Amino acid sequence: MAVSQSAVIIGATGQTGRHVLQNLLASPHFTRVGEYGRRLTPKDQITTGSDKLEQKVIDFEKLQESGLSQGNWDVVFITLGTTKANAGSAEAFEKIDREYVINAAKAARNPDSTTQQRIVYLSSTGANSTSSFLYPRSKGLTEEGLANIGYSETIVFRPGFLAGTQRKDFRLAESVFGKISGLLSHVSSSLEIQVSTLGRAIYLAGKLGTENLPSAVNATQEVKGDAKRTVINNAGALKLAESKD
């Protein structure tokens, strides 16, 4: 890929996505950045890189009108996701968490299949398309769906507990587990990660690509049929975030 690149992020108003966007806007490597989504980052919250930012509200039910493919983006970041509680039902959860993600990725794919273009997706630890549980099954199926679209490379992150979030709603289970994982994170690097740290790691993966990831990240390759994806777990994300930009 070229020395300078363009990038688009879908899901930039989320807990991790906002940090990915901040890194993209602060980076001289990315000379053009797009933020597409149902909601956009308020202008007064953008402190750097506003001159290279393109924002557009899109309807995930009408992605053919989104103009995503016209951006010719070098790197596509997707940090879009939800919970069953917020979605209202299992069906609505899967629609947002999987259908919207895969369809947006398809819309952002350059129509010229010979163009080098990578996609970076925020998944979750335990993602497994054959799981009997809704959340990990949806994440696993989404990963597989993205890997089958035809991007030059697909990179997925499977972080543990996301610390440092600023949610408007109180989540008791999350609060309790956060305290436990916070204590255990001192003896294991597989359980917890700050969303700001994860955002930096995701940004760096998009910039570097699989071939240039530091060996300490211990990224793995998962192959199903003709589709391949690079997987970075919680410990790998922590190591990657330590890398120099």
Side-chain angles (χ1 to χ4, degrees):
M1 290 188 178
V3 174
S4 63
Q5 294 180 301
S6 62
V8 63
I9 178 168
I10 300 165
T13 58
Q15 296 295 318
T16 303
R18 65 187 61 179
H19 292 286
V20 179
L21 179 62
Q22 288 170 8
N23 278 276
L24 289 170
L25 293 177
S27 171
H29 179 81
F30 288 96
T31 56
R32 187 166 61 91
V33 177
E35 180 192 0
Y36 285 55
R38 293 174 296 179
R39 296 183 299 275
L40 300 175
T41 305
K43 295 287 188 181
D44 60 3
Q45 292 182 16
I46 299 172
T47 58
T48 185
S50 60
D51 57 319
K52 63 179 180 181
L53 177 63
E54 303 171 15
Q55 293 180 302
K56 186 172 183 179
V57 174
I58 60 174
D59 183 343
F60 284 92
E61 297 291 342
K62 300 177 181 179
L63 283 171
Q64 70 278 8
E65 301 174 5
S66 68
L68 272 168
S69 64
Q70 298 169 13
N72 297 321
W73 309 103
D74 294 311
V75 187
V76 177
F77 295 90
I78 300 186
T79 54
L80 178 68
T82 188
T83 63
K84 179 182 175 182
N86 285 344
S89 68
E91 182 180 5
F93 165 75
E94 291 188 282
K95 187 179 188 66
I96 296 171
D97 201 69
R98 184 165 76 251
E99 183 179 317
Y100 282 3
V101 168
I102 292 175
N103 288 344
K106 289 179 178 178
R109 180 70 176 106
N110 195 307
D112 181 357
S113 60
T114 63
T115 300
Q116 294 294 301
Q117 188 181 31
R118 72 175 57 104
I119 185 167
V120 186
Y121 168 61
L122 174 57
S123 184
S124 176
T125 187
N128 185 337
S129 62
T130 62
S131 174
S132 58
F133 297 100
L134 176 65
Y135 190 80
R137 182 175 67 248
S138 179
K139 293 297 184 185
L141 289 170
T142 302
E143 289 184 12
E144 292 177 3
L146 293 174
N148 276 293
I149 292 175
Y151 279 85
S152 307
E153 60 178 313
T154 301
I155 302 174
V156 300
F157 278 78
R158 294 179 183 167
F161 179 78
L162 302 183
T165 59
Q166 299 177 350
R167 303 188 192 279
K168 295 179 179 179
D169 57 318
F170 176 73
R171 301 179 182 179
L172 178 60
E174 186 176 273
S175 177
V176 172
F177 185 76
K179 289 181 172 61
I180 296 172
S181 65
L183 291 172
L184 294 178
S185 66
H186 295 293
V187 295
S188 173
S189 60
S190 63
L191 296 176
E192 179 182 284
I193 189 169
Q194 291 285 326
V195 285
S196 57
T197 302
L198 178 58
R200 174 172 168 76
I202 291 173
Y203 149 74
L204 285 170
K207 175 185 175 182
L208 297 172
T210 298
E211 289 187 0
N212 296 312
L213 290 173
S215 58
V217 173
N218 288 321
T220 59
Q221 296 288 320
E222 293 192 8
V223 181
K224 187 172 184 178
D226 295 328
K228 179 174 69 174
R229 61 190 184 273
T230 298
V231 177
I232 300 174
N233 63 19
N234 198 82
L238 287 169
K239 281 293 184 183
L240 179 55
E242 295 173 358
S243 304
K244 292 183 179 180
D245 197 345

